[in-house]
Amino acid sequence: MRKIATEEAWSIPEVAAALGEVARGPSSSLDKLLIAAIYDPASKGSGYAMLNFLDGLLDTEGPAPEGNG
């Protein structure tokens, strides 16, 4: 069995796609900067995009990180 944390550390493709739409919306919220960095593939140059952070959130089958298995 693989342990997962809360919704902030795991997601499903449908939720990720919806958050990508939010990131491209007209809001001027500062939270949008983080949402865009993680969930909008067009958001180039952010640390999250460069680290493929979203791939890790969507990975339900890969190995558990060190110390969490």
Side-chain angles (χ1 to χ4, degrees):
M1 175 168 42
R2 179 175 179 197
K3 296 178 185 179
I4 60 170
T6 64
E7 66 271 2
E8 288 87 15
W10 181 78
S11 192
I12 59 173
E14 295 84 358
V15 170
L19 285 170
E21 292 295 320
V22 168
R24 292 183 289 280
S27 171
S28 60
S29 168
L30 292 177
D31 293 334
K32 186 177 165 185
L33 296 174
L34 177 63
I35 297 297
I38 296 172
Y39 293 99
D40 184 10
S43 178
K44 301 289 185 212
S46 77
Y48 291 114
M50 293 176 3
L51 295 172
N52 292 325
F53 193 78
L54 183 56
D55 290 345
L57 289 176
L58 296 174
D59 181 12
T60 59
E61 301 298 326
E66 289 288 322
N68 291 334

